[in-house]
Amino acid sequence: MAVHTVGIMTGGGDCPGLNPVIRAAVKTGIKKYGWKIFGIEDASMGLIDLNYRSPHGNLWLDMDSVAEILTRGGTILGTSNRSDPFHYVVKRDGKKVETDVSDLVVEHAKEVGLDAIISIGGDGSMRIAQQFIEKGMNIVGVPKTIDNDLAATDVTFGFDTAVQVATEAIDRLHDTAESHDRVMLVEVMGREAGWIALQAGLAAGAHAILIPEIPYRLEPIAKRIQDRTARNRPYSIVVVAEGARPVGGEISHLKKQPGAMLRLMGAASHVADGLSRLIDQDMRVTVLGHIQRGGSPSNFDRVLATRFGHAAANLVAQEQFGRMVALRTPHIISVPISEAVANQKLVDPNGEVIQAARDLGVVFGDE
Ligand code: F6P
């Protein structure tokens, strides 16, 4: 089967580096292989409904479509983490219910004439891709997520930029903490993996770092803050991953909505509330939220994303479907998508980085 027409889509949360992947894949596809390239809008939406038009309006992509996007955050194709075709939400009798529209996607992909699809997404998108592969579709995956929690690749693009943003924000909060003698709690993203909290917290000299992999107790955190105050350092920085939870407790979240992933919210406020019952010190909470997901990708992310987009196009040309590109430093390799989604990359609580942080006095709340 020769490949002539390729679809490209971005799924899940946006992430710095999506546009450089699209640019590299489209340029390689057109210049090297002479393909026609179809931009699938808002994750699967562009294939669930062939008349769907998002404000992005990217259908057939040419070289002009990807000009000047290397440095831009977001995705020119639009994305969504609410359009899983296997759990698509429709309103029936005024109620939201999940339904399976995956056959429609397969049918529409044939109608457009897609020989293959490049799917750029995180673990959720790769799981959906795997289900479509099992339905006979030709898909190549590109891993993205600022959370960096995919085991198959050394690192996902977007993570480096998010860590830079978080580090800079914590540095700024450090100034105010010191000036006002305050405890500053900073909530960063990281649903199941604490990579952003750990990396940014370490780089910015946080005094406590709370991550999903290490359930915390409030007492060791309060003690660390009090010890600092006793040593005439009456300010502290506590970095909290959004997925951090107390020992025996739950993650902080809103009510689950149909077709949507659980929305985490309130982890740092929860810690502040608990700490304020143990210590008498001025506290403030800052939630960095989606600031970590937007903006121009870092140099590292631009280059990694470019290499991923190029490698994904080459995989399609070699008809190596069902595989996902990955970084195995210094090489770009590929792994089966099925294998990639089976393994999450979490922070090792007994690993060298955590141990180094502990030896330097960082508290994780489990001591
Ligand atoms: O998975 C990436 C991520 O940024 C998580 O860290 C976060 O919990 C989630 O996306 C937020 O998604 P949304 O854009 O739906 O709020």
Side-chain angles (χ1 to χ4, degrees):
M1 182 203 90
V3 173
H4 300 290
T5 307
V6 177
I8 184 161
M9 62 186 281
T10 48
D14 69 345
C15 165
L18 289 170
N19 281 330
V21 176
I22 297 167
R23 173 179 175 269
V26 169
K27 282 192 159 197
T28 308
I30 294 174
K31 280 167 73 111
K32 190 169 173 188
Y33 299 114
W35 296 335
K36 279 179 75 185
I37 305 196
F38 182 78
I40 304 165
E41 297 171 82
D42 284 354
S44 302
M45 282 311 300
L47 283 182
I48 291 173
D49 175 3
L50 284 186
N51 294 315
Y52 179 82
R53 293 290 173 272
S54 78
H56 309 280
N58 297 291
L59 290 174
W60 293 102
L61 302 176
D62 58 18
M63 296 295 266
D64 280 346
S65 323
V66 296
E68 311 302 336
I69 66 168
L70 175 63
T71 59
R72 273 170 58 189
T75 158
I76 60 163
L77 298 174
T79 188
S80 166
N81 48 21
R82 302 190 77 142
S83 62
D84 174 355
F86 295 90
H87 300 276
Y88 188 63
V89 176
V90 290
K91 263 199 171 168
R92 249 182 232 144
D93 304 326
K95 273 185 89 183
K96 285 184 179 174
V97 288
E98 292 184 8
T99 177
D100 182 347
V101 293
S102 56
D103 287 339
L104 208 58
V105 168
V106 176
E107 205 178 290
H108 287 161
K110 279 192 193 135
E111 208 172 311
V112 177
L114 302 183
D115 300 313
I117 292 176
I118 295 175
S119 171
I120 312 163
D123 53 349
S125 307
M126 290 305 132
R127 239 168 247 128
I128 295 169
Q130 181 57 33
Q131 284 173 275
F132 277 116
I133 289 162
E134 284 156 24
K135 277 179 171 276
M137 285 180 91
N138 297 329
I139 301 182
V140 159
V142 179
K144 72 88 222 182
T145 163
I146 63 163
D147 289 3
N148 195 33
D149 55 359
L150 285 177
T153 180
D154 286 357
V155 68
T156 48
F157 66 85
F159 173 66
D160 184 67
T161 308
V163 167
Q164 295 293 344
V165 170
T167 305
E168 194 193 317
I170 302 167
D171 285 348
R172 286 169 191 265
L173 292 165
H174 208 125
D175 293 346
T176 303
E178 198 172 345
S179 304
H180 285 264
D181 299 348
R182 279 180 184 160
V183 177
M184 290 295 203
L185 294 105
V186 194
E187 184 175 307
V188 298
M189 282 189 169
R191 298 178 72 79
E192 279 145 38
W195 294 108
I196 297 177
L198 179 62
Q199 203 83 3
L202 259 186
H207 307 104
I209 301 175
L210 309 182
I211 59 174
E213 295 87 342
I214 306 180
Y216 65 83
R217 289 185 306 112
L218 291 166
E219 290 73 13
I221 310 162
K223 182 170 182 309
R224 176 77 169 104
I225 294 168
Q226 281 169 322
D227 286 351
R228 285 180 50 74
T229 304
R231 283 190 293 110
N232 207 19
R233 292 267 189 277
Y235 66 92
S236 294
I237 303 287
V238 181
V239 176
V240 185
E242 61 181 346
R245 62 184 164 86
V247 173
E250 284 214 0
I251 47 171
S252 305
H253 62 85
L254 299 180
K255 190 167 168 269
K256 168 98 173 73
Q257 297 294 323
M261 63 183 182
L262 199 61
R263 278 191 66 195
L264 306 191
M265 195 174 276
S269 297
H270 188 75
V271 176
D273 186 45
L275 283 179
S276 68
R277 292 162 207 272
L278 298 177
I279 51 176
D280 180 21
Q281 211 157 330
D282 207 11
M283 283 179 211
R284 295 289 186 276
V285 172
T286 303
V287 180
L288 295 185
H290 296 81
I291 288 171
Q292 297 157 96
R293 288 228 309 248
S296 185
S298 66
N299 174 302
F300 179 87
D301 283 336
R302 289 179 201 182
V303 174
L304 180 61
T306 298
R307 294 173 73 195
F308 274 177
H310 171 254
N314 286 338
L315 275 186
V316 170
Q318 292 152 13
E319 299 182 22
Q320 296 229 22
F321 303 124
R323 300 187 74 81
M324 184 188 86
V325 298
L327 176 68
R328 193 72 41 85
T329 310
H331 304 291
I332 301 292
I333 59 154
S334 75
V335 295
I337 293 180
S338 54
E339 191 186 302
V341 296
N343 301 302
Q344 215 180 16
K345 181 170 61 191
L346 300 178
V347 174
D348 175 3
N350 302 311
E352 172 267 326
V353 183
I354 295 278
Q355 194 51 53
R358 285 191 203 278
D359 290 347
L360 267 66
V362 177
V363 162
F364 289 90
D366 60 335
E367 298 83 351

